[in-house]
Amino acid sequence: MNDEKDPKIVLGAWAWGNDGTFGHGLAADELRPVFDAAMNTGLNLWDTAYVYGMGESERMLAGFLKYLPREYYRVSDKLTPQCMDASSKTAVADMYEMQLHTMGIDHFDVYWVHNTMDAPRWIGELAAFFEGREDAPVIGVSNHNLAEVKQADAILREHGLRLGAVQNHFSLINRSSEDSGILDWCHQNDVEFWSYMVLEQGALSGKYDTSHPMPEGSARAQKYNPVLDRLETLNAELAKVAEAHGVGLAQIPVAWAIAKGTRPIVGVTKESHVTDAANASSVALSADEMRELEKVADSLGINAVRAWEKKMY
């Protein structure tokens, strides 16, 4: 990817899967204005996965995309090992074609191996599946450490392909992909780094604090509500930077992620999320602002690694 047609920001449809992670369900009539606002703003790169509601996120997004010419948008989807029939001799083809059918399209623009379960088997089978195909997407890996990223690239090259992207959890309170050298490796090898959870599922948006916790019963509430007192310190610093730039607080973590040389994925469930995402790409943070934000974030000692992740070093 990485051409002039690609927006700096990816819009994430994880919450559209209504899988309990975010604590509420979303209907198509609620999300339609969000989708329309995004497309009207030029944010046309969408990230989804079958595992987000076992196809629900894909179906919801597909319901909006079907009215548009294919060249108007780009789709990033994922091969999730836990959702595959590993006993099938055509497991990769089975999942890929099922997802294409669900989405109602003939190709994905980016396709990821979602995690390292049974690694490196699936990257090898994916490489064999796409070898020599003109419709091969950009191939990426998600939730991989540096050794696994390098291994995936080597396997792909054996099949005449290359690793095009890495997608890991990356935010002010989780810079493990930077500390472990993954980010530098990507920059040195012309591999895009997509940062997911830059807003930590809303924890760095300014919307939640000790007086206004996340919805009880949601997976994110279990992770972030116990540390909201510490997050208030970081959000206060983010608010100061946002005020200095005349923008909303939620735009600053996204602008930070862009300044780090990544393409952030921003989950959108409201039109205001789209506006914030669109505006964030024009916020230019100074080196001093970047350092101070990172200093404050580091001082909090928050472990933001989630259950599906691994430590990157």
Side-chain angles (χ1 to χ4, degrees):
M1 304 191 73
N2 211 13
D3 60 38
E4 293 181 358
K5 296 185 293 182
D6 294 322
K8 295 180 180 179
I9 293 169
V10 185
L11 297 186
W14 184 359
W16 297 18
N18 298 330
D19 61 7
T21 302
F22 296 84
H24 58 279
L26 295 162
D29 59 353
E30 296 176 87
L31 292 171
R32 180 79 216 200
V34 179
F35 175 82
D36 289 344
M39 297 301 293
N40 290 336
T41 308
L43 297 177
N44 65 348
L45 177 51
W46 297 89
D47 182 75
T48 185
Y50 174 77
V51 75
Y52 301 159
M54 304 309 283
E56 181 60 24
S57 173
E58 292 172 327
R59 286 189 289 272
M60 190 78 75
L61 178 58
F64 303 143
L65 295 176
K66 67 181 181 181
Y67 298 104
L68 298 175
R70 182 63 180 87
E71 63 270 20
Y72 281 30
Y73 58 85
R74 299 192 176 191
V75 180
S76 154
D77 210 324
K78 305 177 186 75
L79 181 149
T80 304
Q82 291 88 339
C83 297
M84 301 171 66
D85 178 5
S87 66
S88 172
K89 293 181 179 180
T90 56
V92 170
D94 295 346
M95 183 147 198
Y96 186 73
E97 290 165 6
M98 178 268 288
Q99 291 173 290
L100 287 178
H101 178 74
T102 298
M103 293 292 302
I105 57 180
D106 63 0
H107 72 281
F108 290 118
D109 299 285
V110 190
Y111 199 61
W112 311 82
V113 175
H114 205 169
N115 56 61
T116 58
M117 178 180 171
D118 290 337
R121 172 187 174 183
W122 296 118
I123 194 68
E125 294 197 16
L126 190 69
F129 177 68
F130 284 117
E131 182 173 1
R133 289 180 53 160
E134 293 185 0
D135 64 344
V138 172
I139 297 175
V141 293
S142 183
N143 301 306
H144 283 52
N145 64 27
L146 183 56
E148 292 158 343
V149 166
K150 291 179 177 179
Q151 181 184 52
D153 185 50
I155 291 170
L156 287 164
R157 289 181 184 277
E158 291 172 359
H159 293 266
L161 302 163
R162 64 180 292 269
L163 188 69
V166 172
Q167 179 182 150
N168 283 348
H169 179 184
F170 185 67
S171 74
L172 276 162
I173 58 173
N174 182 5
R175 300 207 311 279
S176 59
S177 285
E178 180 179 23
D179 298 337
S180 63
I182 296 173
L183 196 55
D184 280 345
W185 185 89
C186 287
H187 292 162
Q188 292 163 7
N189 290 277
D190 192 28
V191 174
E192 284 197 2
F193 186 98
W194 290 28
S195 46
Y196 74 78
M197 284 177 52
V198 292
L199 293 174
E200 293 291 341
Q201 298 182 333
L204 300 184
S205 70
K207 180 179 179 181
Y208 302 103
D209 54 34
T210 51
S211 299
H212 306 90
M214 293 183 175
E216 287 298 335
S218 64
R220 60 176 178 158
Q222 295 176 16
K223 183 66 177 181
Y224 301 108
N225 281 354
V227 294
L228 282 177
D229 55 341
R230 282 181 276 171
L231 287 168
E232 285 176 355
T233 300
L234 179 54
N235 279 322
E237 187 65 26
L238 288 167
K240 287 195 296 184
V241 177
E243 184 177 6
H245 287 268
V247 298
L249 187 157
Q251 295 178 38
I252 301 304
V254 179
W256 171 86
I258 294 172
K260 299 296 281 191
T262 81
R263 193 194 294 263
I265 304 172
V266 179
V268 287
T269 58
K270 297 179 180 178
E271 291 180 72
S272 61
H273 297 164
V274 173
T275 302
D276 280 345
N279 292 337
S281 61
S282 63
V283 176
L285 299 178
S286 70
D288 286 343
E289 288 172 327
M290 299 276 286
R291 280 193 296 269
E292 187 60 28
L293 287 171
E294 292 172 9
K295 179 181 176 181
V296 172
D298 290 346
S299 73
L300 301 176
I302 296 174
N303 176 12
V305 175
R306 302 300 294 272
W308 61 83
E309 296 182 74
K310 64 169 67 178
K311 290 185 178 180
M312 291 297 146
Y313 54 90

